[in-house]
Amino acid sequence: MNNASEPIWLLKPNIHYLNHGSFGATPIAVLNYQQSLRERMEREPVRFLTRELEGLLDEARSQLADFIGADADELAFIPNATVGVNTVLRSLAFKPDDEILITNCTYNACRNAAEFVAHSTGAKIIVASVPFPLESSQQVVTAILEKVSPKTKLALLDHVTSPTASIFPIETLVKELACRGIDTLVDGAHGPGFVSLDLRSLDVTYYTGNCHKWLCAPKGAAFLYVRRDKQASIRPLAISHGANSLRTDRSRFRLEFDWTGTDDPTAYLCVPEAIRVMGSLLPGGWSSLRERNRKLILAARQVLCKTLEVAIPCPDEMLGSMASIPLGTVPLSWESLQSKLLEEFKIEVPIVPLSDRSCLIRISAQFYNRLDQYQYLAEVLKRLIS
Ligand SMILES: Cc1ncc(COP(=O)(O)O)c(C=O)c1O
């Protein structure tokens, strides 16, 4: 349990920070631990990077594996989910007319990666249109399965969508797609710490997740899970020493991903500390923290929808620690609205533009947030847009 009088985060106290979802925020205790690792590295760089790092990565990976219900042998540390998605897409050998299935909610950077690969291989991008507002998660399943064809080779699906902040029914989707012979790459940028993960029972082909968002590890900590049977074909974006290593004590997958050139590995090594620190904020550990944040987001969404007279846009069951609320067409550009909220009202919150000139607002809830911050946001928004 933390001592309530000590600040846990470095976040500026005069800003209502309602955007944990974009880049996370790291507790001071975890940053201090990272600094101690950096000092250890800088005192003896060669010893740290060539003799100690491998064992330290093994230990960190094994603790992450326990947290997400995976085997450590199926995990590689990578700097972020964008790299995870690129790594899989760019490793796979698509042929002309193969189809890569994505959705209208796919994160822009990942859609770009899919389009890049499609362009260079002749594969086609097929976009399933998931409605929002949504009445049930079955609508997500229907919208995606409707777009499957005999040419579908891979589905790239979000676990938690960035613009609409809804949890996709990924267990059902992975199963239904596997029955049709289709591999799934889950973009779980928001997954770890946001939902309770058990990758073993999910039995997905590929899953990439950020540790720097909801696990609150330092920035640049993420993982790529590749099911054992697919590891031979997945190569890191940077080919390095592992490619021709003669070692037989570790898999090629491990040798290649553990060294992709000189870098600062301390964010990866802090993952266990982030799991420990965040898991000790409440007596009930991680499940209590998730439940607390979810309750807060449900209450906050209620306040915003009521004040702005907007219908609740998706079922409670599809929410974790974020929610998006449609604002309709607003009287100023989304960029102006977002910067006005920050500069004039000290509220950091993302406004998401939609193609029809209307927009959404996405709120996040983390341990440092309180309900009155969303009440204030609702009042300010009412003044600015109605
Ligand atoms: C769904 C989704 N995918 C991918 C990303 C990219 O994450 P990163 O910038 O850490 O690679 C984000 C970031 O917010 C996201 O929301």
Side-chain angles (χ1 to χ4, degrees):
M1 286 285 283
N2 68 296
N3 176 348
S5 62
E6 286 173 23
I8 303 174
W9 277 270
L10 287 174
L11 291 167
K12 276 185 166 176
N14 66 332
I15 303 281
H16 298 284
Y17 198 72
L18 307 182
N19 190 7
H20 190 89
S22 279
F23 302 113
T26 306
I28 293 168
V30 179
L31 293 172
N32 288 344
Y33 181 65
Q34 182 176 36
Q35 185 54 23
S36 73
L37 285 168
R38 284 182 167 147
E39 284 170 16
R40 178 172 159 188
M41 174 167 69
E42 293 307 330
R43 274 194 294 271
E44 259 195 296
V46 173
R47 179 191 297 279
F48 187 83
L49 290 169
T50 68
R51 298 189 190 106
E52 295 177 346
L53 181 59
E54 192 169 284
L56 294 172
L57 285 173
D58 284 348
E59 178 53 32
R61 195 163 28 227
S62 133
Q63 293 198 39
L64 172 65
D66 287 347
F67 188 78
I68 61 175
D71 287 346
D73 284 349
E74 295 172 309
L75 295 181
F77 279 121
I78 51 167
N80 53 58
T82 307
V83 166
V85 167
N86 270 275
T87 301
V88 174
L89 287 172
R90 296 175 74 173
S91 290
L92 297 177
F94 293 104
K95 294 192 297 296
D97 293 335
D98 280 352
E99 292 179 356
I100 304 172
L101 178 56
I102 65 171
T103 76
N104 56 333
C105 297
T106 300
Y107 189 69
N108 179 60
C110 301
R111 182 176 176 141
N112 284 343
E115 279 173 358
F116 176 87
V117 166
H119 186 73
S120 57
T121 59
K124 288 201 176 70
I125 301 294
I126 304 295
V127 184
S129 214
V130 176
F132 191 80
L134 264 171
E135 273 152 34
S136 77
S137 58
Q138 185 52 43
Q139 281 176 281
V140 179
V141 178
T142 305
I144 291 170
L145 294 183
E146 254 172 16
K147 291 288 183 176
V148 165
S149 88
K151 295 178 184 164
T152 313
K153 286 291 165 311
L154 182 81
L156 165 59
L157 300 177
D158 292 349
H159 199 163
V160 180
T161 59
S162 173
T164 53
S166 23
I167 302 174
F168 273 4
I170 215 71
E171 294 81 4
T172 308
L173 286 163
V174 167
K175 222 177 265 157
E176 290 291 337
L177 289 162
C179 287
R180 292 159 174 80
I182 299 162
D183 287 339
T184 302
L185 161 57
V186 177
D187 173 358
H190 291 274
F194 190 105
V195 286
S196 171
L197 282 177
D198 185 17
L199 295 187
R200 249 181 236 109
S201 64
L202 187 61
D203 196 27
V204 67
T205 332
Y206 315 101
Y207 188 110
T208 186
N210 278 328
C211 303
H212 49 233
K213 285 189 192 279
W214 296 93
L215 275 191
C216 300
K219 282 147 198 69
F223 68 84
L224 175 63
Y225 162 94
V226 180
R227 216 175 51 204
R228 249 188 211 85
D229 57 305
K230 298 289 181 176
Q231 286 180 5
S233 49
I234 303 300
R235 313 284 304 272
L237 294 177
I239 298 298
S240 183
H241 297 302
N244 68 345
S245 167
L246 298 177
R247 286 177 64 175
T248 52
D249 59 325
R250 307 197 137 218
S251 67
R252 180 76 49 202
F253 177 74
R254 170 72 60 252
L255 289 165
E256 288 214 274
F257 278 93
D258 269 4
W259 189 266
T260 53
T262 308
D263 206 344
D264 179 351
T266 56
Y268 303 155
L269 304 181
C270 287
V271 167
E273 183 64 359
I275 293 173
R276 191 192 64 74
V277 169
M278 294 301 291
S280 61
L281 291 175
L282 291 171
W286 269 97
S287 55
S288 298
L289 178 63
R290 270 195 293 267
E291 196 42 39
R292 179 229 178 246
N293 290 342
R294 184 165 175 277
K295 273 197 185 133
L296 181 55
I297 214 71
L298 290 175
R301 180 172 78 156
Q302 191 71 40
V303 167
L304 278 154
C305 286
K306 194 160 176 229
T307 310
L308 302 173
E309 297 173 35
V310 174
I312 297 283
C314 83
D316 290 0
E317 306 80 71
M318 295 184 77
L319 291 193
S321 308
M322 298 195 295
S324 285
I325 295 123
L327 297 180
T329 313
V330 294
L332 62 176
S333 72
W334 69 269
E335 293 102 326
S336 308
L337 178 56
Q338 185 166 290
S339 63
K340 218 175 176 53
L341 285 167
L342 180 61
E343 304 309 337
E344 286 182 33
F345 299 97
K346 305 289 174 218
I347 305 171
E348 182 71 82
V349 67
I351 305 292
V352 184
L354 299 175
S355 48
D356 57 359
R357 293 191 58 245
S358 63
C359 54
L360 306 171
I361 188 164
R362 189 187 75 185
I363 50 172
S364 294
Q366 186 46 286
F367 193 66
Y368 49 78
N369 293 123
R370 305 171 316 269
L371 187 58
D372 60 64
Q373 297 181 298
Y374 308 94
Q375 288 161 338
Y376 171 60
L377 169 66
E379 289 308 321
V380 168
L381 271 179
K382 194 174 176 179
R383 255 191 282 158
L384 291 178
I385 66 172
S386 53

